[in-house]
Amino acid sequence: MITLDDVTLTFPDGASRVTAIDRVSLTGRAGILTGITGPSGSGKSSLLAVAATLIRPDSGRVTIGDVDATSLSRDDATALRRERIGIVFQQSNLLPSLTAREQLQVMAELGGHGAGHRRRAVRSRVDELLDAVGLADHAGKRPAQLSGGQRQRVAIARALVHEPQVLLVDEPTSALDQERGAEIMDLIARLTHERDAATLLVTHDLVHEGLLDELVTVVDGRIVAGAPAMGAVAPAELSVARAVRGAMSVEVSEAVPTTGA
């Protein structure tokens, strides 16, 4: 389970500060797919970044299971994120030189304090996960040899390697056509229920609303009732999205072994 309790997040804006998240409380429960919708710039990416422990809020608390993530040091927060949180971005962010199987295997190197036997156990799950997302026959292919939907499936499997308690998904269908998007949403819903993950999924597309167990709407940094309206992306949201993608890319790249000439 993940709980955000009275969370506020602000960013500097000249001599003042802009509020990205305004006293938001939200709970994601195990086995439940919670959709987060709202206009562009409303605070959805900021909310996901705080939930992922990538940004510390100004106030409030984020609890993952029984751990208060807002009280952790940077290193401890990183360890918590690697072991208990899976993240799926709009783009698959796969490493171009690695096969689908290797994309998952490299996550075993992000075990932080994990012992060797734990990493071996994680690696043993790779083929099972690829089969779960329908890619058992494509395990040896690199990203350039996969379709957009297949790459996103690899990203989902990669996020599940460490059996996270929490799965955070940011606009997983934005780069896909409607048919492929429906397949990805169905996959996320199925895996959420089968693997008992507490899933928070940010989306603009309510075509797939029927697959969501719960739905909340964010407007101007607050959870409100009513349908969202589309708008331009706020600069603060763009900065958060870039920071989140950058932080996770660094963590993944650090796990790739380097070879000498």
Side-chain angles (χ1 to χ4, degrees):
M1 186 169 71
I2 178 170
T3 302
L4 285 75
D5 183 17
D6 201 25
V7 168
T8 294
L9 177 69
T10 66
F11 294 102
D13 182 25
S16 60
R17 298 186 71 85
V18 60
T19 299
I21 305 174
D22 191 3
R23 302 195 66 178
V24 165
S25 294
L26 175 65
T27 297
R29 293 173 289 137
I32 298 297
L33 175 55
T34 301
I36 303 172
T37 190
S40 296
S42 61
K44 301 186 303 297
S45 290
S46 298
L47 189 63
L48 215 61
V50 170
T53 74
L54 288 165
I55 297 178
R56 190 184 299 272
D58 295 41
S59 61
R61 184 168 62 179
V62 178
T63 306
I64 310 292
D66 58 354
V67 177
D68 179 4
T70 48
S71 67
L72 299 177
S73 68
R74 183 184 297 272
D75 287 346
D76 287 342
T78 298
L80 178 74
R81 182 164 59 251
R82 289 175 174 175
E83 295 172 6
R84 300 201 189 187
I85 303 173
I87 305 177
V88 181
F89 298 104
Q90 293 183 34
Q91 303 298 324
S92 58
N93 292 334
L94 301 180
L95 296 167
S97 63
L98 300 184
T99 66
R101 179 181 287 111
E102 290 166 343
Q103 305 285 343
L104 275 64
Q105 288 175 334
V106 77
M107 293 304 291
E109 304 303 322
L110 293 176
H113 305 296
H117 71 276
R118 183 178 184 276
R119 293 183 178 182
R120 287 191 294 273
V122 170
R123 291 190 187 103
S124 73
R125 299 185 62 248
V126 166
D127 287 342
E128 182 267 327
L129 281 169
L130 288 174
D131 182 62
V133 300
L135 291 179
D137 294 335
H138 301 278
K141 294 183 179 180
R142 291 180 170 81
Q145 299 171 298
L146 300 171
S147 69
Q150 289 171 334
R151 289 193 293 271
Q152 196 66 297
R153 286 172 179 267
V154 175
I156 292 168
R158 183 179 63 185
L160 294 170
V161 162
H162 287 294
E163 299 185 286
Q165 295 178 14
V166 176
L167 183 63
L168 305 176
V169 188
D170 188 11
E171 298 277 9
T173 65
S174 62
L176 304 176
D177 60 38
Q178 188 166 344
E179 181 181 357
R180 300 296 182 269
E183 291 174 355
I184 291 299
M185 286 294 297
D186 184 70
L187 175 64
I188 292 170
R190 175 170 62 82
L191 292 174
T192 293
H193 300 147
E194 289 179 356
R195 297 174 185 273
D196 209 29
T199 301
L200 302 182
L201 183 145
V202 166
T203 183
H204 280 100
D205 189 357
L206 294 182
V207 171
H208 312 295
E209 182 178 353
L211 292 171
L212 303 173
D213 298 307
E214 298 178 352
L215 178 65
V216 298
T217 300
V218 179
V219 176
D220 293 333
R222 298 179 179 179
I223 292 179
V224 299
M230 300 303 155
V233 180
E237 285 287 282
L238 282 173
S239 298
V240 169
R242 289 167 183 156
V244 171
R245 288 195 297 269
M248 291 306 297
S249 294
V250 168
E251 289 190 7
V252 172
S253 64
E254 286 176 348
V256 181
T258 56
T259 58

